[in-house]
Amino acid sequence: MELKLTHLCYCLLLFLPLLSQSTIAKPSSSPNPSNNSINFIVSSCRVTRYQTLCVKCLTGFANKIRRNENRLTQTALAVTLVRVQSTTVYVAKLTKARRIKRREYLAVKDCVENLGDGLEMLAQSMRELRQVGGSGRDRDEFLWRLSNVETWVSAALTDETTCLDGFDGKVMDGVVKSAIRRRVVHVARVTSNALALVNRFAARHKS
């Protein structure tokens, strides 16, 4: 039984141009980010649930973020997108694991579809957040676009947590479940942090 990855491939093609065009796709090559930039990241990450992970994910981009909240939020989304993409490819490969049981295979297949949906939501969020930077002249449009980003990142987080639903129960315990849970829990935390930063950015502009 072959896993159909059409949706996954579509999502990967969708987001790759976003990262290749982004100036925040790679960590800064400068070895000495300013203390102000680091402090800005640390301070911003206080609104997240997983603060240590937040700081770890963003510190390498300090020289590109500087003290710009829009860049911080875009970077958080870009990092999330890369990690979700990597996890989706990893999970898809598990369908070919030796001696995988049918119920595990079906759960993995559903998980890949959920992660693929999340990738699409994150890609849309990145595109929309770029538009935010150019729509500041129209406050209503600006806030509307921010609301879209909040909705889509939240949906991506839901998709990631839904991925694990198919592995509920002791009957699903095993190597496949453990491998997927470890990866998906990590990206869900990264996404949760990105959502918190998006919400913070939006709240500052709504007030």
Side-chain angles (χ1 to χ4, degrees):
M1 186 176 179
E2 294 293 328
L3 177 64
K4 295 181 180 180
L5 294 179
T6 303
H7 185 63
L8 171 59
C9 292
Y10 166 76
C11 288
L12 298 186
L13 290 173
L14 182 70
F15 97 88
L16 283 172
L18 292 174
L19 292 184
S20 63
Q21 295 167 10
S22 176
T23 59
I24 57 175
K26 298 179 181 179
S28 173
S29 59
S30 174
N32 298 310
S34 70
N35 288 334
N36 285 339
S37 298
I38 296 295
N39 290 339
F40 175 69
I41 290 172
V42 172
S43 176
S44 298
C45 283
R46 286 176 185 156
V47 302
T48 67
R49 186 171 183 178
Y50 309 100
Q51 296 181 27
T52 301
L53 178 61
C54 176
V55 173
K56 183 177 180 181
C57 287
L58 298 177
T59 299
F61 303 89
N63 283 331
K64 294 178 179 179
I65 294 171
R66 297 185 181 178
R67 296 182 62 83
N68 185 301
E69 198 165 14
N70 194 321
R71 287 185 183 179
L72 173 79
T73 308
Q74 286 192 47
T75 302
L77 285 178
V79 169
T80 301
L81 196 57
V82 169
R83 297 198 180 193
V84 174
Q85 180 268 338
S86 176
T87 295
T88 305
V89 171
Y90 174 82
V91 173
K93 289 180 179 179
L94 289 180
T95 58
K96 299 179 181 179
R98 295 180 61 184
R99 299 181 181 178
I100 187 171
K101 300 174 184 177
R102 176 175 172 77
R103 59 175 175 267
E104 290 177 324
Y105 174 88
L106 294 175
V108 171
K109 181 175 180 290
D110 288 342
C111 182
V112 170
E113 291 177 354
N114 286 321
L115 292 174
D117 289 340
L119 273 174
E120 187 173 352
M121 293 295 99
L122 291 169
Q124 288 179 350
S125 297
M126 283 191 66
R127 286 199 303 270
E128 195 77 343
L129 195 57
R130 283 218 185 91
Q131 294 299 318
V132 164
S135 59
R137 291 170 295 180
D138 186 333
R139 178 172 172 78
D140 289 339
E141 180 185 357
F142 182 86
L143 295 178
W144 173 69
R145 290 187 184 279
L146 280 179
S147 179
N148 287 340
V149 175
E150 290 180 288
T151 298
W152 294 333
V153 178
S154 179
L157 180 58
T158 299
D159 286 327
E160 291 158 13
T161 55
T162 301
C163 160
L164 296 175
D165 290 349
F167 297 93
D168 283 346
K170 291 186 177 180
V171 69
M172 297 298 291
D173 287 352
V175 176
V176 172
K177 177 179 177 178
S178 297
I180 290 178
R181 179 174 176 77
R182 183 172 59 253
R183 293 287 188 108
V184 173
V185 166
H186 172 77
V187 295
R189 290 177 176 178
V190 174
T191 306
S192 171
N193 285 345
L195 178 59
L197 294 173
V198 168
N199 289 340
R200 175 178 180 265
F201 181 58
R204 287 180 178 272
H205 289 278
K206 290 176 182 177
S207 61

